[in-house]
């Protein structure tokens, strides 16, 4: 974990979205229902109302600071709480001050305006507490350990890894780079804005298996196939994300603000368990760029990918199906 020359609260800031409304092109405002945001997934879907003419969104926020942040004997003064919206694709960064709800309380609230023209997809929302320490203003006191996703397009609040699935002939594809993988059933491309799994239609039977419905043995095999594809995808996107980190001089690697950051925050607790995600990121980056430890870490990375793919559930489902078939064939 990043070290500071002063004491800080050990717990992170917790954040909740309390309201979402859209300002439309005609000047009217549409107050969205609570289905537009999910506290569990920490995501907001601004496309849920079906408007194509909205100009801006106003998001109500409530933040709870960790105990001790506003203590009378704290080592800081001039405490400020900022909500920061970052879009890695458009390089737009918006911040707004939150206000303390009560004089001595730990609850802070406010509103963040999201301009439609500033974003094309997803943005990341975090909250930071800063203060003056030893005469130096703007010192970091606390922050959220997990960002909210503000999706300006989606009609459903979802978070985590978003994958695109495309079916194509690797031999005949206009993407010439796929020709080299003509004998592979699928390939994961992490270079696009959204990670893409290309499924090779030249491999006999794979498309039919993916399209299988029902509860027979084919569906068991399909679930195993999907679990393997998903494991490969999580592994590939983790390596893609960790291999393209921005490193700040003197402070180490920083989390990306797009899907790469979401992937790292999702998988790092299983890759380096028992530490804060910032420390886990630092350790993984150190092992990848250092002289040792990177090879040994591959097992943990694979384990994290297997968990995200729910592979154990797919295997158990297939085994139970085979056992049932064997029992039925013996009777």
């Amino acid at each position: 974990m990043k070290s500071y020359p002063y004491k800080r609260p050990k717990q992170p800031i917790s954040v909740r979205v309390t309201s979402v409304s859209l300002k439309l092109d005609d000047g009217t405002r549409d107050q969205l229902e609570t289905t537009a945001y999910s506290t569990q997934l920490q995501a907001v879907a601004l496309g849920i109302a079906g408007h194509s003419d909205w100009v801006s969104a106003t998001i109500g926020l409530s933040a709870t600071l960790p105990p001790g942040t506003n203590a009378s004997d704290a080592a800081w003064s001039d405490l400020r709480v900022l909500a920061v919206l970052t879009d890695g694709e458009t390089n737009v960064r918006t911040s707004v001050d939150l206000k303390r709800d009560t004089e001595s309380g730990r609850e802070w609230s406010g509103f963040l305006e999201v301009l439609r023209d500033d974003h094309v997809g997803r943005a990341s929302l975090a909250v930071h507490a800063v203060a003056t320490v030893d005469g130096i203003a703007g010192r970091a006191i606390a922050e959220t350990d997990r960002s909210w996703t503000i999706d300006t397009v989606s009609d459903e609040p979802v978070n985590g890894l978003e994958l695109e699935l495309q079916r194509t002939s690797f031999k005949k594809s206009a993407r010439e780079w796929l020709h080299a993988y003509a004998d592979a059933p699928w390939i994961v491309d992490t270079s696009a804005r959204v990670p893409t799994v290309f499924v090779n239609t030249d491999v006999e039977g794979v498309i039919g298996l993916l399209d299988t419905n029902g509860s027979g043995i084919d569906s068991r095999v399909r679930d195993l196939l999907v679990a393997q594809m998903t494991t490969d995808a999580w592994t590939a996107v983790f390596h893609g994300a960790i291999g393209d980190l921005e490193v700040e001089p003197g402070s180490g690697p920083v989390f990306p603000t797009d899907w790469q950051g979401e992937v790292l925050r999702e998988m790092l607790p299983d890759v380096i368990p028992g530490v804060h995600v910032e420390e886990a990121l630092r350790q993984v980056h150190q092992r990848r760029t250092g002289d040792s430890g990177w090879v040994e870490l591959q097992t943990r990375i694979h384990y994290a990918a297997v968990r995200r793919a729910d592979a154990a559930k797919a295997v158990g489902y297939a085994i139970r199906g085979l056992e049932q078939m064997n029992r039925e064939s013996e009777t």
Side-chain angles (χ1 to χ4, degrees), residues 3-240:
S3 60
Y4 295 85
Y6 50 90
K7 291 184 178 181
R8 290 176 12 121
K10 295 182 180 180
Q11 299 178 19
I13 299 173
S14 63
V15 181
R16 299 171 304 284
V17 168
T18 56
S19 64
V20 179
S21 65
L22 297 180
K23 181 180 179 181
L24 307 183
D25 193 38
D26 60 4
T28 60
R29 186 168 292 277
D30 184 4
Q31 187 74 34
L32 304 188
E33 297 181 358
T34 56
T35 51
Y37 50 93
S38 169
T39 301
Q40 181 180 4
L41 298 175
Q42 294 194 207
V44 177
L46 297 179
I48 195 169
H51 294 296
S52 59
D53 58 346
W54 64 276
V55 178
S56 64
T58 301
I59 300 176
L61 300 172
S62 177
T64 303
L65 271 57
T69 309
N70 57 347
S72 58
D73 58 347
W76 47 80
S77 60
D78 306 321
L79 183 65
R80 296 176 62 194
V81 179
L82 302 169
V84 181
L85 184 69
T86 307
D87 192 320
E89 189 165 351
T90 60
N91 291 323
V92 171
R93 185 182 178 92
T94 305
S95 64
V96 63
D97 277 280
L98 303 183
K99 303 298 182 182
R100 196 195 309 259
D101 292 349
T102 60
E103 184 63 30
S104 59
R106 294 188 289 119
E107 302 293 327
W108 295 61
S109 60
F111 296 92
L112 174 73
E113 186 174 22
V114 181
L115 299 178
R116 175 69 177 272
D117 291 343
D118 286 347
H119 307 279
V120 295
R122 291 182 165 192
S124 179
L125 172 65
V127 173
H128 302 265
V130 297
T132 299
V133 182
D134 296 330
I136 301 177
R139 290 276 199 171
I141 302 302
E143 58 280 317
T144 48
D145 62 351
R146 181 185 172 195
S147 298
W148 276 70
T149 295
I150 310 300
D151 196 319
T152 60
V153 179
S154 178
D155 59 2
E156 182 180 358
V158 296
N159 208 330
L161 179 63
E162 176 187 352
L163 288 174
E164 182 175 339
L165 184 68
Q166 292 194 19
R167 306 178 182 193
T168 184
S169 167
F170 284 16
K171 294 179 182 178
K172 303 175 183 178
S173 176
R175 299 177 177 85
E176 294 186 359
W177 63 269
L178 282 175
H179 298 176
Y181 308 105
D183 58 343
W186 61 80
I187 286 291
V188 183
D189 177 20
T190 62
S191 64
R193 185 179 72 86
V194 176
T196 303
V197 179
F198 289 97
V199 181
N200 191 358
T201 58
D202 299 325
V203 176
E204 185 177 358
V206 69
I207 298 301
L209 192 59
L210 288 175
D211 291 338
T212 296
N213 293 315
S215 58
I217 187 60
D218 287 351
S219 68
R220 268 73 168 179
V221 177
R222 176 202 60 205
D223 290 345
L224 286 175
L225 179 66
V226 171
Q228 182 60 57
M229 291 173 60
T230 309
T231 299
D232 290 350
W234 277 102
T235 304
V237 296
F238 182 87
H239 281 281

